[in-house]
Amino acid sequence: MGIHCVAIGACGRGKMDTGVPRMAVRTCWAAAAGAAVVALLSAAIALHWPPLHAVLQRAFSLHTAHSTKDMENFFQLVRNIVPALTSKKHKGQDGRIGIVGGCQEYTGAPYFAGISALKVGADLTHVFCAREAAPVIKSYSPELIVHPVLDSSNAVEEVEKWLPRLHALVVGPGLGRDDLILNNVRGILEATKARDIPVVIDADGLWLIAQQPALIHGYQKAILTPNRVEFSRLWEAVLNDPMDTQNHSGSVLKLSQALGNTTVVQKGEHDLISNGQHVLVCSQEGSGRRCGGQGDLLSGSLGVMVHWALLAGPQKTHGSSPLLVAAWGACTLTRECNHQAFQKYGRSTTTTDMIAEVGTAFNKLFMT
Amino acid sequence: MGIHCVAIGACGRGKMDTGVPRMAVRTCWAAAAGAAVVALLSAAIALHWPPLHAVLQRAFSLHTAHSTKDMENFFQLVRNIVPALTSKKHKGQDGRIGIVGGCQEYTGAPYFAGISALKVGADLTHVFCAREAAPVIKSYSPELIVHPVLDSSNAVEEVEKWLPRLHALVVGPGLGRDDLILNNVRGILEATKARDIPVVIDADGLWLIAQQPALIHGYQKAILTPNRVEFSRLWEAVLNDPMDTQNHSGSVLKLSQALGNTTVVQKGEHDLISNGQHVLVCSQEGSGRRCGGQGDLLSGSLGVMVHWALLAGPQKTHGSSPLLVAAWGACTLTRECNHQAFQKYGRSTTTTDMIAEVGTAFNKLFMT
């Protein structure tokens, strides 16, 4: 099964009873619909065949066995990329993930990203941060390997020597906007591209991309994960048109295209994922809690899953973009963690509570 | 419903059975009463109409449906200001709170205030502390963003550049009395007032105010939260009269007036809250445990709730002062956390145990 324009929506509270969210699959030029599926159809975009009437037919078939099957197929694609845990495995095979971030003010974000990568299933995570941030990040967890190099004059060289051992890089959690550090990150991104290593870019990593979009333009192994503010900043950096605030899916598609089909995940009420050809909508039920750090859970998870998806190869993703499959999986997981934590802690939920849910959420979603 | 002079008392152990504390409403010149309500009437003060006989009639009607309804109305005012958690929310909307404090000796207090703000429902908290304190405060929790700037020569500038992003500031937890730091805090307070940002002042922030009351005089978005010692110090700084130690409510009213109607929360056996016009009494059942840090739970909670109250606007507080509603809510919550933790841990209760109760206490009090 190839992925085209796909909208996936959890069925609200009812989902808790069955564990089976419902889904609509759409490949379309444009779409509009009634209240029952308005949340899904708000993501309607301009794309290609099949024509509108077929799309709407599928979009409205939310409650049929057919749509459940489509959804199941999509969950199955994620399941297909999750590596089996066999007794023959050795350390590092399931993921050695690098996190680039952590500075004077921000130390929590790279920790959240790193520990999330481990909890999802990576074997090792390396955090490359500013010297001052290193002891603090180390103190959060003995699970992380932390390199205090990001503000040094030879930071690029220091990170580059680790690149051959890394399967994916997450750039941005707690990065800050110090000029020296951002300049080093430029070099690290160039070295990462030169080695064809997948890279997830979030937070102030996106601030850097907005300053210099060419850094990532056209790189087919990059995924950008902007929130609303970061998305607007990127839009202004690479597009002259005003953004159509009513057409979120169209906007994410357009931004991805303007970045040379770099994959973009726009986080929001629904997460929209596009590689400039297709748009996925992830509407797994989360909660209204928006505490800081949730984006780091997503970027860390995505770091692992993009490695898995690329390693699994096209036969496992049935011809679909591995990056789209990984992004949909990480978004779904993050939202489920939010949902599970919120069920327990309500308004007092913090990101630490969400990360504690990764194991059960992952099993529920992808190991059944 | 406007708030006048209100005394709210939990009905002792019996409250645990019904979840409904009882209440007396009084607007008075002076009052005195018998043993059954002595705890409430000890807060009697000099104010305005209706006359004494009417006041006493109401004060003694503790067990009537009327008083229960008044109390419920008051809880309802707090519920009215709590923002709904909808799926359309984005990070930061429910509160970006700054904590100014943390020095060589004190690192726990700003952590307690910051994490309490998050647990109550803020999305982000920023701690601005002395350089030496920063790594320690960071290490307590990856949820906090910690800026090591408070003892630097450009501290005011460093904090000021964050002010446009902050909804409220809590000044004082773990501040200490270092001259350089206090001088920086003077500048931060001036910048905060210039931007009309609400500010909660506690601990050595109050020591600074006692040295220079003009810093806060007449600022209508300030709330001071003195304990007994801090209250006496403020009193001596701004009033020539000896304090009437038998008339706590009258004293808090008078201090607030002398500070230009700055809101004052006098913490004690009952918490007394005044804006120079009205006095609220919060007697939610707590415990006799008085370990350090409880005041930080209050100030951090209050930082969030004052933002919510001002955001909600006068129609949600039914014309009552948003600062009074926020203060009453934060006092009630803090006392309930104390009570719940004490039920579990007794004499060994510490502030960490209380903060662990924030979620359930908040739900019990304000989400029903």
Side-chain angles (χ1 to χ4, degrees):
Chain A
M1 184 191 87
I3 303 169
H4 300 288
C5 173
V6 182
I8 297 175
C11 63
R13 300 282 166 188
K15 187 185 70 62
M16 290 303 291
D17 304 326
T18 64
V20 181
R22 297 157 196 165
M23 167 198 185
V25 177
R26 295 168 296 131
T27 305
C28 48
W29 280 102
V37 289
V38 69
L40 299 171
L41 291 178
S42 67
I45 61 159
L47 257 182
H48 48 187
W49 284 272
L52 183 58
H53 71 274
V55 172
L56 289 177
Q57 192 173 22
R58 302 190 79 182
F60 276 109
S61 67
L62 285 174
H63 299 265
T64 65
H66 176 79
S67 64
T68 302
K69 184 170 176 296
D70 283 348
M71 183 284 302
E72 268 309 309
N73 284 342
F74 205 82
F75 270 96
Q76 192 55 50
L77 287 191
V78 181
R79 289 181 195 124
N80 287 353
I81 68 166
V82 178
L85 288 174
T86 72
S87 58
K88 296 187 190 305
K89 283 277 169 95
H90 59 82
K91 184 173 76 175
Q93 266 186 302
D94 279 350
R96 294 185 295 268
I97 311 300
I99 314 290
V100 177
C103 63
Q104 181 181 268
E105 325 64 320
Y106 303 118
T107 51
Y111 159 74
F112 286 141
I115 199 76
S116 296
L118 285 173
K119 294 279 183 189
V120 167
D123 287 345
L124 292 164
T125 57
H126 292 255
V127 175
F128 301 94
C129 64
R131 175 157 291 279
E132 186 174 358
V136 176
I137 299 171
K138 288 168 187 278
S139 79
Y140 292 141
S141 169
E143 320 281 3
L144 306 176
I145 302 160
V146 182
H147 306 254
V149 299
L150 205 54
D151 53 349
S152 72
S153 58
N154 61 341
V156 180
E157 187 186 330
E158 287 290 329
V159 177
E160 201 168 9
K161 71 186 183 193
W162 284 94
L163 288 182
R165 308 188 217 181
L166 297 179
H167 296 118
L169 217 58
V170 180
V171 174
L175 186 61
R177 296 182 187 175
D178 177 84
D179 282 341
L180 170 62
I181 289 178
L182 290 182
N183 200 41
N184 287 336
V185 173
R186 276 189 193 94
I188 291 165
L189 278 174
E190 295 291 4
T192 304
K193 286 194 295 181
R195 289 185 171 274
D196 205 31
I197 295 170
V199 61
V200 177
I201 306 184
D202 190 38
D204 280 331
L206 296 171
W207 195 85
L208 175 62
I209 299 301
Q211 313 305 305
Q212 198 174 338
L215 263 175
I216 211 69
H217 187 278
Y219 186 49
Q220 297 305 302
K221 289 191 177 174
I223 307 182
L224 314 188
T225 55
N227 61 22
R228 204 179 61 168
V229 174
E230 292 155 352
F231 188 90
S232 297
R233 193 181 292 128
L234 285 168
W235 181 277
E236 285 168 22
V238 297
L239 284 152
N240 292 321
D241 304 347
M243 186 161 44
D244 180 355
T245 55
Q246 300 304 306
N247 183 359
H248 298 300
S249 287
S251 297
V252 72
L253 181 85
K254 205 166 174 181
L255 179 64
S256 173
Q257 289 169 343
L259 288 164
N261 289 76
T262 296
T263 299
V264 175
V265 178
Q266 185 186 28
K267 300 175 287 192
E269 183 181 2
H270 310 284
D271 299 325
L272 303 174
I273 306 160
S274 182
N275 62 352
Q277 294 180 296
H278 312 296
V279 178
L280 307 187
V281 183
C282 178
S283 299
Q284 181 75 20
E285 188 178 8
S287 85
R289 186 71 173 119
R290 292 288 176 272
C291 54
Q294 299 184 22
D296 308 311
L297 199 170
L298 174 66
S299 66
S301 307
L302 186 46
V304 188
M305 294 179 90
V306 74
H307 161 55
W308 290 350
L310 288 165
L311 190 68
Q315 75 284 5
K316 290 288 184 71
T317 59
H318 294 199
S320 296
S321 154
L323 274 64
L324 292 187
V325 174
W328 188 86
C331 288
T332 304
L333 177 67
T334 302
R335 297 171 77 99
E336 175 63 21
C337 289
N338 185 322
H339 180 70
Q340 290 186 189
F342 191 79
Q343 296 294 102
K344 292 181 181 174
Y345 306 108
R347 192 178 290 270
S348 75
T349 300
T350 62
T351 297
T352 298
D353 303 320
M354 286 175 54
I355 290 170
E357 300 296 322
V358 167
T360 52
F362 194 97
N363 277 346
K364 178 184 164 188
L365 297 169
F366 304 127
M367 302 307 287
T368 50
Chain B
M1 184 190 86
I3 303 169
H4 301 288
C5 173
V6 182
I8 297 174
C11 63
R13 301 282 168 189
K15 186 186 71 61
M16 290 302 291
D17 302 327
T18 63
V20 182
R22 298 158 196 165
M23 167 200 187
V25 178
R26 295 166 297 128
T27 306
C28 49
W29 280 103
V37 289
V38 68
L40 299 170
L41 292 178
S42 68
I45 59 159
L47 257 184
H48 46 185
W49 287 271
L52 182 59
H53 71 275
V55 173
L56 289 176
Q57 193 174 20
R58 302 191 78 182
F60 277 106
S61 67
L62 284 172
H63 299 266
T64 66
H66 176 78
S67 64
T68 301
K69 185 170 177 295
D70 284 347
M71 182 286 300
E72 265 311 308
N73 284 342
F74 206 81
F75 270 96
Q76 191 55 50
L77 287 191
V78 181
R79 289 180 194 125
N80 286 353
I81 67 166
V82 177
L85 288 174
T86 73
S87 60
K88 294 186 191 305
K89 283 279 167 92
H90 59 82
K91 184 174 75 174
Q93 268 186 303
D94 279 350
R96 296 185 292 269
I97 310 300
I99 314 289
V100 177
C103 63
Q104 181 180 271
E105 322 67 317
Y106 304 120
T107 51
Y111 159 74
F112 285 141
I115 199 76
S116 296
L118 284 173
K119 295 278 181 187
V120 167
D123 287 345
L124 293 164
T125 56
H126 292 255
V127 175
F128 301 93
C129 64
R131 174 156 288 279
E132 188 173 358
V136 178
I137 299 170
K138 287 168 186 280
S139 76
Y140 293 143
S141 170
E143 320 281 1
L144 305 178
I145 301 162
V146 182
H147 306 257
V149 299
L150 205 54
D151 54 349
S152 73
S153 58
N154 62 341
V156 179
E157 187 187 329
E158 287 291 328
V159 176
E160 203 168 8
K161 71 184 183 194
W162 285 94
L163 288 182
R165 308 189 214 181
L166 298 180
H167 296 118
L169 217 60
V170 180
V171 174
L175 186 61
R177 296 183 187 174
D178 176 85
D179 282 341
L180 170 63
I181 290 179
L182 289 181
N183 200 42
N184 286 336
V185 172
R186 276 189 193 93
I188 292 165
L189 278 173
E190 295 290 4
T192 304
K193 286 193 296 182
R195 289 185 172 274
D196 205 33
I197 295 169
V199 61
V200 177
I201 306 184
D202 190 39
D204 281 332
L206 296 171
W207 195 84
L208 174 63
I209 299 301
Q211 312 305 306
Q212 198 175 339
L215 262 176
I216 212 69
H217 187 278
Y219 186 49
Q220 297 304 303
K221 289 191 176 174
I223 306 183
L224 314 188
T225 55
N227 60 21
R228 204 178 61 172
V229 173
E230 292 155 351
F231 188 90
S232 297
R233 192 182 292 126
L234 285 168
W235 181 278
E236 285 167 22
V238 296
L239 284 151
N240 292 321
D241 305 346
M243 186 162 44
D244 180 355
T245 55
Q246 299 306 304
N247 184 358
H248 298 298
S249 287
S251 297
V252 72
L253 181 85
K254 206 166 174 181
L255 179 63
S256 173
Q257 289 170 342
L259 287 163
N261 288 76
T262 296
T263 298
V264 175
V265 178
Q266 185 186 29
K267 300 176 289 191
E269 181 181 1
H270 309 285
D271 299 325
L272 303 174
I273 306 160
S274 182
N275 62 351
Q277 294 179 295
H278 312 297
V279 178
L280 307 186
V281 183
C282 178
S283 299
Q284 181 76 19
E285 188 179 9
S287 83
R289 186 72 173 119
R290 291 289 177 271
C291 54
Q294 300 184 23
D296 308 311
L297 199 170
L298 174 66
S299 66
S301 307
L302 187 45
V304 188
M305 294 180 90
V306 74
H307 161 55
W308 289 351
L310 288 166
L311 191 69
Q315 75 283 6
K316 291 289 183 71
T317 59
H318 294 200
S320 296
S321 155
L323 274 65
L324 291 187
V325 174
W328 188 85
C331 287
T332 303
L333 178 67
T334 303
R335 297 171 76 98
E336 176 64 20
C337 289
N338 185 321
H339 179 70
Q340 289 185 189
F342 190 79
Q343 297 293 101
K344 292 181 182 173
Y345 307 108
R347 189 176 293 273
S348 77
T349 300
T350 63
T351 297
T352 298
D353 303 320
M354 287 175 55
I355 290 170
E357 299 297 323
V358 167
T360 52
F362 193 96
N363 276 346
K364 177 183 164 188
L365 296 170
F366 305 127
M367 301 309 285
T368 49

